[in-house]
């Protein structure tokens, strides 16, 4: 009787040990799969164009050149009409992140700066110049530089960048949904993100 009881106990111990080891092995497999899927989802993210805008402006370009000192001045000028499209995008493939499998945490370490693309369409009217001070390639390059500087100031003064940030944060909140669905924690610069709404308070 004792031998039978002892055998039953040994059998139960072996079965429980096998089940425990098997469960641990399955947990590790699930953890690895979750980690791999999270990394794949982040690495698959490409450029995100979050905001587009349009600007129109009219420039009067003037350039004078002194001839023979102060005795004679030659001027050239042009009327320039600018219609520009502006896009703000983020290259999310450059996100720096760290996967902590032990603590089931995805750490977003840094998010790349926005990329501002300005595509101006310039139309020239009433170009006036003379033989002593003709329009040259340098003048057109100077006009493009002036236009880009002016548009950059307008972009800074507009709501384009703040709108772009809000759209970016809305997209990044998908990372919270992804990690939360696997029972993981998401953090940005080592600060845990507790909800989707918490993204709206992030300082990038």
């Amino acid at each position: 009787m004792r031998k039978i009881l002892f055998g039953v106990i040994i059998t139960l111990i072996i079965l429980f040990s096998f089940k425990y080891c098997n469960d641990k092995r399955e947990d590790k497999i699930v953890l690895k799969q979750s980690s791999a899927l999270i990394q794949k989802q982040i690495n698959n993210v490409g450029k995100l164009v979050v905001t587009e805008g349009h600007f129109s402006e009219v420039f009067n370009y003037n350039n004078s050149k002194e001839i023979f000192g102060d005795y004679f001045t030659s001027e050239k000028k042009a009327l320039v009409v600018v219609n520009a499209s502006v896009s703000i995008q983020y290259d999310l493939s450059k996100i720096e992140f760290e996967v902590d499998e032990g603590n089931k945490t995805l750490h977003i370490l840094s998010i790349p700066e926005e990329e501002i693309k300005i595509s101006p369409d310039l139309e020239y009217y009433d170009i006036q110049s003379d033989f002593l001070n003709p329009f040259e390639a340098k003048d057109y390059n100077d006009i493009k530089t002036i236009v880009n500087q002016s548009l950059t100031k307008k972009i800074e003064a507009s709501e384009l960048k703040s709108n772009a940030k809000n759209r970016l944060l809305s997209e990044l909140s998908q990372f919270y949904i992804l990690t939360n669905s696997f029972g993981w924690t998401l953090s940005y610069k080592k600060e845990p993100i507790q909800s989707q709404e918490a993204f709206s308070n992030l300082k990038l």
Side-chain angles (χ1 to χ4, degrees):
M1 184 66 180
R2 288 182 179 179
K3 290 183 178 179
I4 294 173
L5 184 60
F6 181 74
V8 170
I9 293 173
I10 293 297
T11 301
L12 290 174
I13 291 174
I14 293 173
L15 289 174
F16 279 119
S17 298
F18 178 78
K19 187 177 185 304
Y20 176 79
C21 292
N22 193 48
D23 289 344
K24 293 292 288 183
R25 191 180 299 110
E26 289 181 356
D27 288 343
K28 287 182 179 180
I29 292 173
V30 171
L31 181 62
K32 289 288 184 183
Q33 290 176 338
S34 300
S35 175
L37 182 57
I38 288 172
Q39 292 188 58
K40 182 179 179 181
Q41 290 291 335
I42 295 178
N43 288 329
N44 283 343
V45 175
K47 284 196 175 182
L48 171 69
V49 178
V50 292
T51 304
E52 292 184 336
H54 299 276
F55 294 89
S56 296
E57 203 161 355
V58 177
F59 288 92
N60 284 302
Y61 177 74
N62 290 279
N63 180 284
S64 60
K65 181 179 180 181
E66 293 182 351
I67 308 296
F68 304 117
D70 297 332
Y71 296 104
F72 181 74
T73 300
S74 177
E75 292 189 351
K76 56 186 171 184
K77 59 183 179 180
L79 182 68
V80 185
V81 177
V82 181
N83 289 292
S85 61
V86 178
S87 65
I88 300 179
Q89 60 189 23
Y90 293 87
D91 189 351
L92 298 186
S93 65
K94 295 180 181 178
I95 290 179
E96 295 183 6
F97 65 95
E98 180 181 276
V99 177
D100 183 354
E101 293 184 1
N103 295 309
K104 290 187 176 182
T105 302
L106 170 63
H107 298 287
I108 297 178
L109 305 177
S110 69
I111 296 170
E113 293 289 328
E114 74 273 2
E115 299 174 3
I116 301 176
K117 183 180 179 182
I118 303 174
S119 302
D121 179 23
L122 280 62
E123 296 182 7
Y124 297 87
Y125 298 92
D126 194 23
I127 297 177
Q128 299 180 25
S129 62
D130 56 38
F131 177 75
L132 297 176
N133 192 15
F135 251 83
E136 300 173 338
K138 181 180 182 303
D139 293 294
Y140 293 103
N141 290 332
D142 289 342
I143 289 172
K144 288 182 180 179
T145 299
I146 294 170
V147 167
N148 282 331
Q149 289 174 346
S150 177
L151 290 173
T152 299
K153 290 180 180 179
K154 284 195 168 187
I155 293 169
E156 291 293 335
S158 71
E159 296 182 350
L160 276 180
K161 293 183 73 173
S162 61
N163 290 341
K165 177 187 174 183
N166 291 335
R167 172 74 192 285
L168 170 68
L169 293 176
S170 176
E171 292 296 327
L172 289 179
S173 67
Q174 302 302 315
F175 289 152
Y176 173 79
I177 297 175
L178 178 64
T179 53
N180 190 55
S181 65
F182 287 115
W184 283 50
T185 299
L186 177 66
S187 78
Y188 177 63
K189 292 184 177 180
K190 302 300 182 180
E191 291 294 326
I193 305 297
Q194 305 294 346
S195 65
Q196 281 186 264
E197 291 74 19
F199 273 94
S200 60
N201 298 319
L202 287 181
K203 295 182 179 180
L204 302 180

